[in-house]
Amino acid sequence: MSIADCCRRAVAFTRDTMRQPVTARNDLRFPDLAFFLRFARPIRNVGVLALAATVLVSAAKTVLPLSIKFFIDNILLGGTETSDALLAGAGGLLSSLDTLIAALLVLGLFTGGMDLLRNYWTARFREGYAFNLQTALVEHVLDFPLSYFKSQQTGYIMSRLSDDVQILQYTVSQYLPLIVANGLYVTFTLAILCILSLKLTLVIAAFIPLYLLINAVFIRRIRAATHRERERQAYVSRDIQEVISGIDTVKTHAAEEREVTRVSGTLARMVDARIRNTMLSALSEYFRIGTMSLMLIAVFWVGGSEVLAGGMTVGDFVTFAVYVVTFAPTVNTFFAFPVVMQPAATSAARLRELFSMDGEPAGGGVVPAAVLGRIELSSVWFRYTESEPVLADANLVIHPGEVIAIVGRTGAGKTTMINLLLRAFAPQEGTITLDGRDLASLDPRWLRRQVSLVSQDIFLFHTTIEENIRYSRPGATFEEIVKAARKAQIHDEIMRFPEGYRTIVGERGTQLSVGQRQRVAIARAFLKDAPILILDEPTSALDMQTEEQICRTLRLLVRNRTTILITHRPSLLTIADRVVAIEDGRVREQQGTDLPPEPDTGRIRRSGQSAAT
């Protein structure tokens, strides 16, 4: 591509960037800003100390350039008078070079020491604020219903929880202290400039509307571009997390190139959004620097004319010029603040969106004194989309202490029924009751504490085997953990590991075999000892011998508790008191299953029954 083509593409890209929609959804409003102040309340004393130190440091830095006036007018030129009484009095005290040098040393030591304290208190405030914000956010998100997590991908949620908080934290740690310091410096400097020359100060003030105009042009465009960038960055995190989580599938299908192409496409869209955002910021900075240059030219022109006409002393003008040279970048940063704050405002709006989402009621539902275990589905309808319902007028009664097996083809609605029982979703029509109480009226956390679930989709935390089993009952003793592991037929294998129960299982339990992970999950259910037990293909990854051992143990586990068993394994079906099938969204009763597990003829009959269902 030629240089001319590159230039034409750059101009077209810039023009297109400036034509972007200027309306950003989820704009941050004043009540939202007030909402985020709540996280600063526990550390407000540290914030006050940081602010006070900032005021003192800014004041000290503002006074420092005045030493140039005293040096020129009072020492070099022998005490030129000034029209301001305050400056004249200070000039009298600093009329000797030794006194001026001593004052500068004291001022430097004070400024340096106070600046160290300011940095310390600012860091404490920054980290405390980020801690309070992220803790509250994680607590709030964990209260979301299970349906939210089942409908969103993990990488997208992680981006919302981490990236936006980091951007807001960076803003609190970098831009807010900077804008406070610059604001104070601008205020103090303007006061001194008015004393030195009101006429030149008015020249500076004349350029403020131009800064405001630049901000008005760019702020909403940058906010919209930043929102697009954040969303596309979340999509990149989502896709990468999905590829890493499914790396076994990617490798076995030799799909590396395919996944790279998919991720690179998402990444390219994010890069395009990031470039557009960068271009908008660069253009706004270009116009602000141009305004600052015009302001400096105007000051030198008017100020130089004043000195030549005798309206200002050389010391006053040199001091004014030094203030303007240091003041102009500060003013530029001050007026750039609304623009550079747009990424933080976008992140804050996205975080506010999460905080505004309703979670499950914590402690707001009924908490019965005891659980009998009677579960009833009455005319339950449920669909995920506008397509065919997964459950259509489903009716089922499970009596206390009964073991019921649920069979049906893949996608028939077996797992959906379990999710409804756990209140991951709510039925669109009909009711589900526990001991005569609608599940919607019960405290969801209490409800889930009454259920032990062994799912075929096993999740183990990246910690020890002991802690993974203890997860269902944090107060359990080590002896109780070992007892549960023995019942799950996993104790002997655990003891063969060099670290025994302290063996780290790896992320999602990858250091264990599938069968070992399944038995650890079964041990976790044994330890919980809840009155309701749900077994979703609990032996799908076990060999025949281990399955026979687990079946004998499960017969003990299901005693005196309501059990829902989802399986097609013949040996497990013999545990059930009855079998029901889900067909076309409806629950249909099958014949009883009170057949002896032995001999093999019983197994053949049960296998045939399973096939029929």
Side-chain angles (χ1 to χ4, degrees), residues 387-607:
S387 60
E388 291 294 321
V390 180
L391 295 177
D393 195 28
N395 294 276
L396 176 65
V397 176
I398 306 174
H399 301 287
E402 184 180 22
V403 181
I404 184 169
I406 301 177
V407 298
R409 60 177 177 78
T410 301
K414 303 185 296 297
T415 302
T416 297
M417 182 180 293
I418 300 304
N419 286 330
L420 291 173
L421 292 175
L422 292 172
R423 285 191 59 182
F425 302 99
Q428 279 100 23
E429 296 181 35
T431 59
I432 303 176
T433 62
L434 173 62
D435 296 337
R437 292 186 175 91
D438 193 331
L439 294 189
S441 67
L442 300 177
D443 184 304
R445 294 186 182 180
W446 173 88
L447 172 64
R448 290 162 193 152
R449 282 195 288 267
Q450 313 311 311
V451 179
S452 289
L453 172 64
V454 179
S455 172
Q456 58 182 330
D457 184 18
I458 302 163
F459 183 89
L460 298 183
F461 292 92
H462 184 61
T463 184
T464 64
I465 296 175
E466 177 184 349
E467 290 303 317
N468 270 289
I469 297 176
R470 182 182 277 121
Y471 195 79
S472 62
R473 220 175 87 207
T477 64
F478 180 71
E479 289 73 19
E480 290 172 322
I481 292 172
V482 172
K483 183 177 179 181
R486 288 184 184 277
K487 288 181 179 179
Q489 306 297 321
I490 188 64
H491 171 74
D492 293 339
E493 292 185 42
I494 293 175
M495 296 308 297
R496 283 197 285 270
F497 292 122
E499 299 295 326
Y501 280 85
R502 295 187 177 182
T503 300
I504 301 294
V505 302
E507 185 176 3
R508 299 183 66 90
T510 53
Q511 299 301 315
L512 304 181
S513 69
V514 177
Q516 289 170 334
R517 293 201 297 270
Q518 204 156 36
R519 280 174 285 164
V520 168
I522 293 173
R524 186 189 286 172
F526 271 113
L527 185 65
K528 188 173 184 180
D529 195 27
I532 299 173
L533 177 65
I534 298 176
L535 303 170
D536 187 359
E537 299 288 359
T539 62
S540 60
L542 301 183
D543 57 75
M544 180 121 6
Q545 181 179 359
T546 305
E547 181 181 319
E548 291 289 346
Q549 295 171 341
I550 289 292
C551 281
R552 288 194 293 269
T553 304
L554 289 180
R555 291 180 185 279
L556 299 176
L557 180 62
V558 301
R559 285 181 181 176
N560 301 319
R561 71 185 80 232
T562 303
T563 304
I564 299 174
L565 175 62
I566 298 176
T567 187
H568 288 92
R569 306 290 281 258
S571 58
L572 285 182
L573 286 175
T574 61
I575 298 175
D577 298 317
R578 60 192 174 104
V579 177
V580 298
I582 299 181
E583 299 174 2
D584 300 324
R586 289 174 169 78
V587 179
R588 306 185 188 280
E589 191 82 14
Q590 304 296 300
Q591 66 182 67
T593 62
D594 52 346
L595 298 174
E598 299 294 340
D600 288 342
T601 54
R603 297 175 62 85
I604 294 172
R605 289 172 62 189
R606 188 65 53 222
S607 177

